[in-house]
Amino acid sequence: MAYWLMKNEPDDYSIDDLEKDDIESWDGIRNYQVRNMFRDQMKIGDEAIFYHSSCEVPAAVGLMTIASEAYPDPTQFDPKAKYFDPKSDPENPRWLLVDVRYKRTLKRPITLKELKEDCRLNDFRLNQRGNRLSVFPVEKKYWDIILELE
C-alpha cells in the first residue's frame, strides 16, 4: 500500500462533502506529473490524507482510500466544464482521475503551521519550498507522524 496527500480547496470540495458523498471522482488535475502518478503509481486501496488548501487555515483534515484505477477525466471533453481542455483527444485522453472513498475525518485539523513546526517533518514534501503539486506520495514515516499528531 502507498500513501498520498491530496489537496483541495474546501470552498470547492471539502472533507465534509466527501463524507456526505462517500465516494467521489478526484477530477480537474491538469498537471502531467500528477497525471502520471495517478496512472503509474496509485492503486486501489492506497490511503490518502485529505488536505484543505488555499484557505484561511490550511490543514490535514481527513483520510480517504483510493477506490479506482486511473481513468479519463470526462471534464476535459465538456466545453461547459471548468476543466475543459480543447486539446485533449477522446481517442487519446490527456487527463486522468481516480475515485476516492471517505474513510474518516481527523479528530482535529492538523494545520500547516503545526506540520512546519514539527522538526520530524522538516523533509516532508509539503514543508519544502516550491512544492506546488496538489497530489504527492507520502513516505510511511511521515504518514505515521502526521497521524500521531492527531
Side-chain angles (χ1 to χ4, degrees), residues 71-99:
Y71 63 95
D73 181 341
T75 66
Q76 68 192 306
F77 307 120
D78 180 356
K80 295 177 186 159
K82 179 178 176 181
Y83 299 109
F84 173 62
D85 182 350
K87 295 181 181 177
S88 192
D89 176 5
E91 298 300 316
N92 187 20
R94 182 180 291 189
W95 306 113
L96 303 173
L97 58 75
V98 294
D99 293 337

mmCIF file of all heavy atoms in Angstrom, residues 71-99:
data_model
loop_
_atom_site.group_PDB
_atom_site.id
_atom_site.type_symbol
_atom_site.label_atom_id
_atom_site.label_comp_id
_atom_site.label_asym_id
_atom_site.label_seq_id
_atom_site.Cartn_x
_atom_site.Cartn_y
_atom_site.Cartn_z
ATOM 1 N N TYR A 71 -8.611 6.655 -14.678
ATOM 2 C CA TYR A 71 -9.396 6.599 -15.914
ATOM 3 C C TYR A 71 -9.585 8.018 -16.433
ATOM 4 O O TYR A 71 -9.348 8.988 -15.703
ATOM 5 C CB TYR A 71 -10.720 5.865 -15.701
ATOM 6 C CG TYR A 71 -11.691 6.489 -14.716
ATOM 7 C CD1 TYR A 71 -12.700 7.338 -15.148
ATOM 8 C CD2 TYR A 71 -11.630 6.191 -13.355
ATOM 9 C CE1 TYR A 71 -13.619 7.893 -14.264
ATOM 10 C CE2 TYR A 71 -12.539 6.726 -12.455
ATOM 11 C CZ TYR A 71 -13.524 7.580 -12.915
ATOM 12 O OH TYR A 71 -14.421 8.125 -12.036
ATOM 13 N N PRO A 72 -9.970 8.175 -17.710
ATOM 14 C CA PRO A 72 -10.064 9.517 -18.296
ATOM 15 C C PRO A 72 -11.027 10.433 -17.541
ATOM 16 O O PRO A 72 -12.138 10.036 -17.181
ATOM 17 C CB PRO A 72 -10.568 9.247 -19.717
ATOM 18 C CG PRO A 72 -10.106 7.860 -20.017
ATOM 19 C CD PRO A 72 -10.213 7.113 -18.706
ATOM 20 N N ASP A 73 -10.578 11.646 -17.316
ATOM 21 C CA ASP A 73 -11.380 12.669 -16.654
ATOM 22 C C ASP A 73 -12.372 13.225 -17.684
ATOM 23 O O ASP A 73 -11.964 13.865 -18.653
ATOM 24 C CB ASP A 73 -10.462 13.775 -16.148
ATOM 25 C CG ASP A 73 -11.182 14.887 -15.417
ATOM 26 O OD1 ASP A 73 -12.413 15.030 -15.587
ATOM 27 O OD2 ASP A 73 -10.510 15.631 -14.688
ATOM 28 N N PRO A 74 -13.672 12.980 -17.501
ATOM 29 C CA PRO A 74 -14.645 13.420 -18.504
ATOM 30 C C PRO A 74 -14.756 14.942 -18.636
ATOM 31 O O PRO A 74 -15.195 15.436 -19.667
ATOM 32 C CB PRO A 74 -15.959 12.806 -18.028
ATOM 33 C CG PRO A 74 -15.774 12.513 -16.592
ATOM 34 C CD PRO A 74 -14.309 12.269 -16.389
ATOM 35 N N THR A 75 -14.326 15.691 -17.610
ATOM 36 C CA THR A 75 -14.439 17.150 -17.691
ATOM 37 C C THR A 75 -13.545 17.730 -18.781
ATOM 38 O O THR A 75 -13.827 18.819 -19.273
ATOM 39 C CB THR A 75 -14.121 17.830 -16.347
ATOM 40 O OG1 THR A 75 -12.742 17.625 -16.004
ATOM 41 C CG2 THR A 75 -15.009 17.303 -15.235
ATOM 42 N N GLN A 76 -12.512 17.003 -19.192
ATOM 43 C CA GLN A 76 -11.620 17.514 -20.239
ATOM 44 C C GLN A 76 -12.320 17.636 -21.590
ATOM 45 O O GLN A 76 -11.886 18.404 -22.445
ATOM 46 C CB GLN A 76 -10.373 16.640 -20.353
ATOM 47 C CG GLN A 76 -10.616 15.238 -20.892
ATOM 48 C CD GLN A 76 -9.423 14.339 -20.716
ATOM 49 O OE1 GLN A 76 -8.321 14.681 -21.150
ATOM 50 N NE2 GLN A 76 -9.635 13.200 -20.071
ATOM 51 N N PHE A 77 -13.410 16.898 -21.765
ATOM 52 C CA PHE A 77 -14.123 16.878 -23.048
ATOM 53 C C PHE A 77 -15.387 17.744 -23.065
ATOM 54 O O PHE A 77 -16.004 17.900 -24.105
ATOM 55 C CB PHE A 77 -14.516 15.444 -23.422
ATOM 56 C CG PHE A 77 -13.358 14.487 -23.394
ATOM 57 C CD1 PHE A 77 -13.370 13.399 -22.548
ATOM 58 C CD2 PHE A 77 -12.248 14.686 -24.203
ATOM 59 C CE1 PHE A 77 -12.300 12.514 -22.515
ATOM 60 C CE2 PHE A 77 -11.169 13.811 -24.171
ATOM 61 C CZ PHE A 77 -11.198 12.719 -23.325
ATOM 62 N N ASP A 78 -15.760 18.295 -21.911
ATOM 63 C CA ASP A 78 -17.005 19.049 -21.795
ATOM 64 C C ASP A 78 -16.726 20.554 -21.890
ATOM 65 O O ASP A 78 -16.166 21.144 -20.959
ATOM 66 C CB ASP A 78 -17.675 18.726 -20.455
ATOM 67 C CG ASP A 78 -18.980 19.454 -20.245
ATOM 68 O OD1 ASP A 78 -19.375 20.284 -21.101
ATOM 69 O OD2 ASP A 78 -19.620 19.204 -19.209
ATOM 70 N N PRO A 79 -17.128 21.192 -23.000
ATOM 71 C CA PRO A 79 -16.852 22.626 -23.170
ATOM 72 C C PRO A 79 -17.451 23.506 -22.076
ATOM 73 O O PRO A 79 -16.988 24.621 -21.863
ATOM 74 C CB PRO A 79 -17.477 22.968 -24.524
ATOM 75 C CG PRO A 79 -17.697 21.674 -25.208
ATOM 76 C CD PRO A 79 -17.819 20.619 -24.143
ATOM 77 N N LYS A 80 -18.440 23.017 -21.366
ATOM 78 C CA LYS A 80 -19.062 23.796 -20.298
ATOM 79 C C LYS A 80 -18.380 23.575 -18.946
ATOM 80 O O LYS A 80 -18.681 24.270 -17.982
ATOM 81 C CB LYS A 80 -20.543 23.441 -20.178
ATOM 82 C CG LYS A 80 -21.333 23.830 -21.406
ATOM 83 C CD LYS A 80 -22.777 23.407 -21.278
ATOM 84 C CE LYS A 80 -23.503 23.679 -22.591
ATOM 85 N NZ LYS A 80 -24.704 22.903 -22.728
ATOM 86 N N ALA A 81 -17.478 22.616 -18.877
ATOM 87 C CA ALA A 81 -16.831 22.270 -17.611
ATOM 88 C C ALA A 81 -15.681 23.219 -17.298
ATOM 89 O O ALA A 81 -15.008 23.738 -18.201
ATOM 90 C CB ALA A 81 -16.310 20.835 -17.662
ATOM 91 N N LYS A 82 -15.460 23.426 -16.031
ATOM 92 C CA LYS A 82 -14.379 24.279 -15.545
ATOM 93 C C LYS A 82 -13.012 23.790 -16.040
ATOM 94 O O LYS A 82 -12.117 24.584 -16.297
ATOM 95 C CB LYS A 82 -14.420 24.288 -14.011
ATOM 96 C CG LYS A 82 -13.373 25.102 -13.325
ATOM 97 C CD LYS A 82 -13.577 25.046 -11.820
ATOM 98 C CE LYS A 82 -12.494 25.778 -11.061
ATOM 99 N NZ LYS A 82 -12.693 25.691 -9.608
ATOM 100 N N TYR A 83 -12.870 22.482 -16.185
ATOM 101 C CA TYR A 83 -11.571 21.897 -16.538
ATOM 102 C C TYR A 83 -11.516 21.404 -17.994
ATOM 103 O O TYR A 83 -10.712 20.542 -18.321
ATOM 104 C CB TYR A 83 -11.227 20.762 -15.575
ATOM 105 C CG TYR A 83 -11.121 21.245 -14.151
ATOM 106 C CD1 TYR A 83 -12.074 20.907 -13.209
ATOM 107 C CD2 TYR A 83 -10.077 22.076 -13.758
ATOM 108 C CE1 TYR A 83 -11.980 21.358 -11.899
ATOM 109 C CE2 TYR A 83 -9.981 22.537 -12.463
ATOM 110 C CZ TYR A 83 -10.924 22.174 -11.531
ATOM 111 O OH TYR A 83 -10.839 22.637 -10.248
ATOM 112 N N PHE A 84 -12.338 21.978 -18.849
ATOM 113 C CA PHE A 84 -12.334 21.625 -20.270
ATOM 114 C C PHE A 84 -10.947 21.860 -20.877
ATOM 115 O O PHE A 84 -10.280 22.855 -20.597
ATOM 116 C CB PHE A 84 -13.375 22.469 -21.015
ATOM 117 C CG PHE A 84 -13.354 22.305 -22.501
ATOM 118 C CD1 PHE A 84 -13.611 21.067 -23.085
ATOM 119 C CD2 PHE A 84 -13.075 23.379 -23.336
ATOM 120 C CE1 PHE A 84 -13.598 20.917 -24.469
ATOM 121 C CE2 PHE A 84 -13.067 23.242 -24.716
ATOM 122 C CZ PHE A 84 -13.324 21.997 -25.275
ATOM 123 N N ASP A 85 -10.513 20.905 -21.703
ATOM 124 C CA ASP A 85 -9.240 21.041 -22.417
ATOM 125 C C ASP A 85 -9.486 20.759 -23.898
ATOM 126 O O ASP A 85 -9.600 19.603 -24.297
ATOM 127 C CB ASP A 85 -8.207 20.056 -21.863
ATOM 128 C CG ASP A 85 -6.859 20.178 -22.537
ATOM 129 O OD1 ASP A 85 -6.746 20.886 -23.564
ATOM 130 O OD2 ASP A 85 -5.904 19.555 -22.050
ATOM 131 N N PRO A 86 -9.580 21.791 -24.723
ATOM 132 C CA PRO A 86 -9.893 21.602 -26.140
ATOM 133 C C PRO A 86 -8.830 20.799 -26.893
ATOM 134 O O PRO A 86 -9.105 20.270 -27.968
ATOM 135 C CB PRO A 86 -9.993 23.021 -26.693
ATOM 136 C CG PRO A 86 -9.226 23.861 -25.734
ATOM 137 C CD PRO A 86 -9.351 23.194 -24.385
ATOM 138 N N LYS A 87 -7.629 20.673 -26.331
ATOM 139 C CA LYS A 87 -6.560 19.930 -26.998
ATOM 140 C C LYS A 87 -6.575 18.445 -26.656
ATOM 141 O O LYS A 87 -5.835 17.670 -27.252
ATOM 142 C CB LYS A 87 -5.205 20.525 -26.643
ATOM 143 C CG LYS A 87 -5.039 21.942 -27.175
ATOM 144 C CD LYS A 87 -3.688 22.488 -26.816
ATOM 145 C CE LYS A 87 -3.550 23.913 -27.339
ATOM 146 N NZ LYS A 87 -2.283 24.505 -26.944
ATOM 147 N N SER A 88 -7.415 18.040 -25.708
ATOM 148 C CA SER A 88 -7.456 16.628 -25.326
ATOM 149 C C SER A 88 -8.296 15.845 -26.326
ATOM 150 O O SER A 88 -9.377 16.259 -26.715
ATOM 151 C CB SER A 88 -8.031 16.470 -23.921
ATOM 152 O OG SER A 88 -7.820 15.160 -23.470
ATOM 153 N N ASP A 89 -7.772 14.709 -26.729
ATOM 154 C CA ASP A 89 -8.389 13.865 -27.749
ATOM 155 C C ASP A 89 -9.091 12.673 -27.078
ATOM 156 O O ASP A 89 -8.446 11.926 -26.351
ATOM 157 C CB ASP A 89 -7.287 13.378 -28.693
ATOM 158 C CG ASP A 89 -7.766 12.415 -29.753
ATOM 159 O OD1 ASP A 89 -8.980 12.158 -29.845
ATOM 160 O OD2 ASP A 89 -6.904 11.915 -30.505
ATOM 161 N N PRO A 90 -10.384 12.482 -27.320
ATOM 162 C CA PRO A 90 -11.086 11.342 -26.711
ATOM 163 C C PRO A 90 -10.442 9.985 -27.045
ATOM 164 O O PRO A 90 -10.548 9.042 -26.267
ATOM 165 C CB PRO A 90 -12.496 11.427 -27.285
ATOM 166 C CG PRO A 90 -12.665 12.864 -27.655
ATOM 167 C CD PRO A 90 -11.287 13.338 -28.076
ATOM 168 N N GLU A 91 -9.767 9.904 -28.186
ATOM 169 C CA GLU A 91 -9.086 8.661 -28.562
ATOM 170 C C GLU A 91 -7.796 8.461 -27.767
ATOM 171 O O GLU A 91 -7.304 7.342 -27.641
ATOM 172 C CB GLU A 91 -8.776 8.657 -30.064
ATOM 173 C CG GLU A 91 -10.007 8.706 -30.938
ATOM 174 C CD GLU A 91 -10.937 7.511 -30.718
ATOM 175 O OE1 GLU A 91 -10.434 6.377 -30.638
ATOM 176 O OE2 GLU A 91 -12.151 7.739 -30.613
ATOM 177 N N ASN A 92 -7.242 9.554 -27.280
ATOM 178 C CA ASN A 92 -6.007 9.501 -26.501
ATOM 179 C C ASN A 92 -6.092 10.575 -25.411
ATOM 180 O O ASN A 92 -5.448 11.617 -25.500
ATOM 181 C CB ASN A 92 -4.793 9.737 -27.410
ATOM 182 C CG ASN A 92 -3.497 9.523 -26.688
ATOM 183 O OD1 ASN A 92 -3.445 8.871 -25.653
ATOM 184 N ND2 ASN A 92 -2.430 10.093 -27.232
ATOM 185 N N PRO A 93 -6.912 10.336 -24.377
ATOM 186 C CA PRO A 93 -7.152 11.360 -23.359
ATOM 187 C C PRO A 93 -5.867 11.832 -22.688
ATOM 188 O O PRO A 93 -4.976 11.035 -22.392
ATOM 189 C CB PRO A 93 -8.055 10.654 -22.340
ATOM 190 C CG PRO A 93 -8.642 9.514 -23.086
ATOM 191 C CD PRO A 93 -7.628 9.098 -24.099
ATOM 192 N N ARG A 94 -5.818 13.112 -22.456
ATOM 193 C CA ARG A 94 -4.645 13.730 -21.842
ATOM 194 C C ARG A 94 -4.692 13.640 -20.315
ATOM 195 O O ARG A 94 -3.670 13.501 -19.674
ATOM 196 C CB ARG A 94 -4.601 15.191 -22.275
ATOM 197 C CG ARG A 94 -3.411 15.954 -21.761
ATOM 198 C CD ARG A 94 -3.445 17.377 -22.237
ATOM 199 N NE ARG A 94 -3.204 17.416 -23.674
ATOM 200 C CZ ARG A 94 -3.004 18.514 -24.372
ATOM 201 N NH1 ARG A 94 -3.025 19.679 -23.767
ATOM 202 N NH2 ARG A 94 -2.791 18.480 -25.656
ATOM 203 N N TRP A 95 -5.902 13.727 -19.736
ATOM 204 C CA TRP A 95 -6.041 13.855 -18.278
ATOM 205 C C TRP A 95 -6.787 12.677 -17.678
ATOM 206 O O TRP A 95 -7.766 12.191 -18.234
ATOM 207 C CB TRP A 95 -6.734 15.173 -17.934
ATOM 208 C CG TRP A 95 -6.029 16.326 -18.547
ATOM 209 C CD1 TRP A 95 -6.496 17.132 -19.540
ATOM 210 C CD2 TRP A 95 -4.697 16.765 -18.264
ATOM 211 N NE1 TRP A 95 -5.549 18.061 -19.872
ATOM 212 C CE2 TRP A 95 -4.427 17.852 -19.102
ATOM 213 C CE3 TRP A 95 -3.711 16.347 -17.373
ATOM 214 C CZ2 TRP A 95 -3.217 18.540 -19.083
ATOM 215 C CZ3 TRP A 95 -2.496 17.024 -17.350
ATOM 216 C CH2 TRP A 95 -2.263 18.105 -18.195
ATOM 217 N N LEU A 96 -6.322 12.279 -16.490
ATOM 218 C CA LEU A 96 -6.907 11.145 -15.777
ATOM 219 C C LEU A 96 -7.386 11.586 -14.406
ATOM 220 O O LEU A 96 -7.007 12.643 -13.906
ATOM 221 C CB LEU A 96 -5.851 10.035 -15.611
ATOM 222 C CG LEU A 96 -5.219 9.510 -16.898
ATOM 223 C CD1 LEU A 96 -4.081 8.552 -16.561
ATOM 224 C CD2 LEU A 96 -6.252 8.841 -17.780
ATOM 225 N N LEU A 97 -8.193 10.743 -13.800
ATOM 226 C CA LEU A 97 -8.633 10.952 -12.425
ATOM 227 C C LEU A 97 -8.716 9.601 -11.734
ATOM 228 O O LEU A 97 -8.598 8.563 -12.377
ATOM 229 C CB LEU A 97 -9.975 11.681 -12.371
ATOM 230 C CG LEU A 97 -11.203 11.072 -13.066
ATOM 231 C CD1 LEU A 97 -11.786 9.891 -12.295
ATOM 232 C CD2 LEU A 97 -12.270 12.127 -13.210
ATOM 233 N N VAL A 98 -8.886 9.647 -10.430
ATOM 234 C CA VAL A 98 -9.172 8.446 -9.643
ATOM 235 C C VAL A 98 -10.382 8.758 -8.774
ATOM 236 O O VAL A 98 -10.682 9.921 -8.507
ATOM 237 C CB VAL A 98 -7.982 8.004 -8.751
ATOM 238 C CG1 VAL A 98 -6.793 7.562 -9.587
ATOM 239 C CG2 VAL A 98 -7.598 9.087 -7.760
ATOM 240 N N ASP A 99 -11.060 7.712 -8.351
ATOM 241 C CA ASP A 99 -12.135 7.869 -7.378
ATOM 242 C C ASP A 99 -11.546 7.694 -5.987
ATOM 243 O O ASP A 99 -10.652 6.863 -5.776
ATOM 244 C CB ASP A 99 -13.232 6.825 -7.594
ATOM 245 C CG ASP A 99 -13.984 7.020 -8.908
ATOM 246 O OD1 ASP A 99 -13.979 8.144 -9.441
ATOM 247 O OD2 ASP A 99 -14.562 6.035 -9.396
#
